[in-house]
């Protein structure tokens, strides 16, 4: 455990839980989504409430599509968004983002914090879909999610991935129940 910072900053004592989830940007900022894809005016408040209830902070991952192609997701004529993300220079930017998230996660771990989960997005998201196959992620998961899983694997980090599928109320309920169960179980 590293040295603590000077004490006495908070008269009530330091109350942090040392737990957090990593979550893609649009969960808390629907403005990141392409037109027609926003499920709320601003954010998934229920997910925020679950994290708050169970003492888990939230590390927001910059929207990967915006990171590599800008908000307008400009691609060459006839090139689908996923295809564009699988090509350079977009792919290189996704790898950089994944490396930076993995480094940040490792830094937290080295300092005594617990990353509980990576929360991605809808099943058809070219950047952030999460599909499972066997013990790992399926190839049709989002391009960024695959880059991040690869970075985690390379660094020996084992953190569960889950898509938060707000495109369907039933699926979203399943995902939120999964998160709540995980945070409840890991609290004990
Ligand atoms: S799902 Fe991922 S790529 Fe799509 S808007 Fe959300 S953060 Fe951006």
């Amino acid at each position: 455990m590293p040295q603590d910072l000077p004490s006495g900053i908070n008269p009530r004592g330091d109350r942090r839980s040392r737990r957090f989830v990593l979550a893609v940007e649009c969960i808390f900022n629907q403005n990141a989504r392409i037109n027609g894809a926003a499920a709320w005016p601003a954010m998934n408040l229920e997910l925020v409430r679950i994290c708050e209830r169970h003492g888990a902070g939230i590390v927001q991952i910059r929207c990967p599509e915006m990171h590599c192609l800008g908000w307008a997701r400009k691609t060459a004529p006839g090139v689908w968004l996923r295809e564009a993300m699988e090509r350079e220079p977009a792919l290189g930017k996704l790898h950089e983002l994944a490396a930076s998230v993995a480094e940040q996660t490792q830094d937290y771990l080295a300092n005594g914090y617990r990353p509980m989960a990576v929360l991605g997005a809808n099943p058809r998201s070219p950047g952030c879909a999460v599909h499972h196959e066997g013990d790992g992620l399926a190839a049709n998961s989002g391009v960024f999610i695959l880059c991040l899983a690869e970075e985690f694997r390379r660094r020996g980090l084992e953190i569960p991935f889950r898509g938060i599928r707000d495109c369907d109320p039933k699926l979203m309920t399943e995902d939120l129940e999964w998160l709540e169960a995980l945070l409840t179980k890991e609290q004990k």
Side-chain angles (χ1 to χ4, degrees):
M1 184 76 63
Q3 283 189 333
D4 282 337
L5 292 172
S7 60
I9 294 171
N10 182 349
R12 297 170 69 199
D14 193 303
R15 304 178 69 207
R16 78 191 68 191
S17 66
R18 293 189 173 266
R19 293 156 26 112
F20 65 92
V21 297
L22 295 132
V24 295
E25 176 172 344
C26 65
I27 293 177
F28 315 101
N29 177 24
Q30 294 273 296
N31 297 307
R33 290 199 171 170
I34 55 169
N35 284 331
W40 300 279
M43 68 186 72
N44 186 336
L45 201 51
E46 186 51 32
L47 189 145
V48 177
R49 287 192 181 113
I50 289 171
C51 290
E52 199 278 332
R53 248 196 325 271
H54 296 283
I58 301 169
V59 171
Q60 194 171 0
I61 300 172
R62 185 179 182 196
C63 169
E65 288 174 11
M66 287 179 66
H67 180 70
C68 65
L69 295 166
W71 186 89
R73 280 85 164 161
K74 282 198 183 126
T75 62
V79 176
W80 291 100
L81 182 51
R82 180 170 186 116
E83 249 181 286
M85 294 173 82
E86 286 170 339
R87 293 181 189 174
E88 296 300 345
L91 187 59
K93 290 186 177 178
L94 292 178
H95 278 297
E96 276 170 25
L97 179 62
S100 140
V101 172
E103 194 179 316
Q104 183 185 17
T105 306
Q106 233 172 357
D107 188 24
Y108 268 123
L109 266 166
N111 284 284
Y113 293 81
R114 289 175 66 200
M116 311 297 293
V118 174
L119 305 177
N122 280 312
R124 291 175 63 192
S125 165
C128 301
V130 178
H131 297 285
H132 293 281
E133 189 173 72
D135 288 344
L137 292 177
N140 62 342
S141 296
V143 183
F144 170 72
I145 291 295
L146 292 172
C147 292
L148 187 58
E150 187 186 317
E151 272 294 332
F152 280 179
R153 209 170 25 250
R154 227 168 46 76
R155 294 164 191 252
L157 303 178
E158 284 186 26
I159 303 166
F161 282 73
R162 181 83 182 199
I164 300 298
R165 299 165 295 175
D166 60 30
C167 58
D168 178 313
K170 190 167 161 284
L171 295 176
M172 193 181 77
T173 301
E174 278 176 24
D175 298 332
L176 294 181
E177 284 174 356
W178 175 89
L179 178 63
E180 184 136 39
L182 175 86
L183 295 178
T184 305
K185 185 176 83 182
E186 296 292 335
Q187 225 161 16
K188 290 172 185 163

